[in-house]
Amino acid sequence: MQRMTRQRAAVVDALTNVDEFRSAQQLHELLRAGGNSIGLATVYRTLQTLADGGELDVLRTQDGESLYRRCRRREHHHHLVCRQCSRTVEIDGPSVEAWASQVGADHGFTDIEHTVELFGTCEACRAGDTSR
Amino acid sequence: MQRMTRQRAAVVDALTNVDEFRSAQQLHELLRAGGNSIGLATVYRTLQTLADGGELDVLRTQDGESLYRRCRRREHHHHLVCRQCSRTVEIDGPSVEAWASQVGADHGFTDIEHTVELFGTCEACRAGDTSR
DNA sequence: GTTGGTATTGACATTCATTCTCACTAAGCG
DNA sequence: CGCTTAGTGAGAATGAATGTCAATACCAAC
């Protein structure tokens, strides 16, 4: 059975107030800064649970960190993420899905899963390039 | 300046004798088992160097481990990997490249990089399903 | 409103891949 | 053959993520 706790509510709330992909640690800090007392392990667990339930999208950065985000669209889609500020655009690859399973079948593979993510530098970050 | 050491040669050799994506640790064991004395840190460093030079393809598994493979084709391509035995097929996404940069441009993003990987279960692994 | 079973929490320890440190070794030029 | 310096390796360090387990607090039932 799933219980609604103060902590879980806080995590969900934080996620709805943020539009970019954020790491568990970042969210933990955010919550603490916002006056919420919550343990890091709890943040991890909650994100895990939400992600399993399809409430959240997970993304792994090039250096292996997991980033989480509550997406508008619940159906399967992909992301275009700014590698500096994490600004995110939801996109769909019209033919990607079909292509993926086709290629898989062609080579005798089943249960095809695919990972398609785009990274780039967004307009705002390109302008303020002097930072960092 | 780049020197050719016994260890570096051994790593390159091991990679040419393996057709699947392998982790640094697996390669380290392989080398040791093959009678090569080599440190784990060296394996990591060598793989890193080779990957930077485009000699190697790197892939991150869902649980964040890096896998390395020497691919036939040096041009940009993608992979279809068996999630059980790591058997790998090199594939190319004809329109993927174009689509990626188009989508990026549409949203004002530049320097678009894309990650496209397919995972599935290969024919052999589906047969011997009783394992694991 | 009170109670009780149990899902959930959190401080801390632990795991595990990867990177760092730094004294030591050896590649390879002259 | 010597010397410079890239490369090595054992062990320590890092850092994200997960496990532990006693204490806590949902919430359904009384």
Side-chain angles (χ1 to χ4, degrees):
Chain A
M1 184 204 312
Q2 187 98 321
R3 291 180 188 171
M4 179 49 59
T5 64
R6 173 177 59 78
Q7 291 87 340
R8 189 160 304 182
V11 170
V12 171
D13 188 57
L15 282 163
T16 44
N17 289 330
V18 172
D19 193 47
E20 300 84 25
F21 270 95
R22 292 296 177 211
S23 71
Q25 319 240 15
Q26 288 176 319
L27 289 166
H28 180 235
E29 278 183 45
L30 263 179
L31 287 163
R32 287 241 151 142
N36 276 294
S37 155
I38 185 171
L40 180 57
T42 302
V43 174
Y44 272 107
R45 271 184 301 233
T46 306
L47 291 172
Q48 186 74 52
T49 305
L50 290 172
D52 286 350
E55 306 271 332
L56 241 52
D57 276 21
V58 190
L59 189 62
R60 299 201 73 115
T61 61
Q62 267 107 351
D63 48 293
E65 202 178 4
S66 290
L67 303 183
Y68 303 85
R69 177 177 192 263
R70 174 151 212 172
C71 286
R72 305 276 173 277
R73 154 174 9 175
R74 291 207 49 163
E75 318 88 63
H76 176 75
H77 59 274
H78 304 289
H79 306 102
L80 168 58
V81 184
C82 174
R83 64 170 73 80
Q84 282 190 38
C85 70
S86 292
R87 196 157 77 82
T88 303
V89 180
E90 299 177 26
I91 55 182
D92 41 20
S95 45
V96 177
E97 330 297 322
W99 168 76
S101 44
Q102 181 58 53
V103 171
D106 286 352
H107 294 90
F109 282 62
T110 48
D111 304 319
I112 303 294
E113 276 180 316
H114 62 279
T115 303
V116 175
E117 303 295 351
L118 308 189
F119 297 93
T121 304
C122 79
E123 213 158 356
C125 286
R126 199 176 337 129
D129 224 345
T130 46
S131 68
R132 173 161 316 197
Chain B
M1 181 206 314
Q2 187 97 322
R3 292 179 188 172
M4 179 49 58
T5 65
R6 174 178 58 78
Q7 292 87 338
R8 189 161 303 183
V11 170
V12 172
D13 189 56
L15 282 164
T16 44
N17 290 329
V18 172
D19 193 46
E20 299 83 26
F21 270 95
R22 292 294 176 213
S23 71
Q25 316 239 18
Q26 288 176 320
L27 289 166
H28 180 235
E29 279 184 44
L30 263 178
L31 288 163
R32 288 240 150 142
N36 275 294
S37 156
I38 184 172
L40 180 57
T42 302
V43 175
Y44 272 105
R45 270 185 302 236
T46 307
L47 290 173
Q48 186 75 52
T49 305
L50 291 172
D52 287 350
E55 307 269 332
L56 240 50
D57 276 21
V58 191
L59 188 61
R60 299 201 75 115
T61 61
Q62 268 107 350
D63 47 293
E65 202 178 4
S66 290
L67 302 183
Y68 303 85
R69 178 177 192 262
R70 172 150 215 174
C71 285
R72 305 279 172 276
R73 142 175 22 168
R74 291 206 48 161
E75 318 88 62
H76 176 76
H77 60 274
H78 305 290
H79 306 102
L80 168 58
V81 185
C82 175
R83 64 170 75 80
Q84 282 190 38
C85 70
S86 291
R87 197 157 77 80
T88 302
V89 180
E90 297 177 28
I91 55 183
D92 41 20
S95 46
V96 178
E97 331 297 323
W99 168 76
S101 44
Q102 181 57 54
V103 170
D106 287 351
H107 294 90
F109 282 61
T110 48
D111 304 319
I112 301 295
E113 275 180 316
H114 61 279
T115 304
V116 175
E117 303 296 349
L118 307 189
F119 297 94
T121 305
C122 79
E123 212 157 357
C125 285
R126 199 176 338 128
D129 224 342
T130 47
S131 67
R132 177 157 315 197

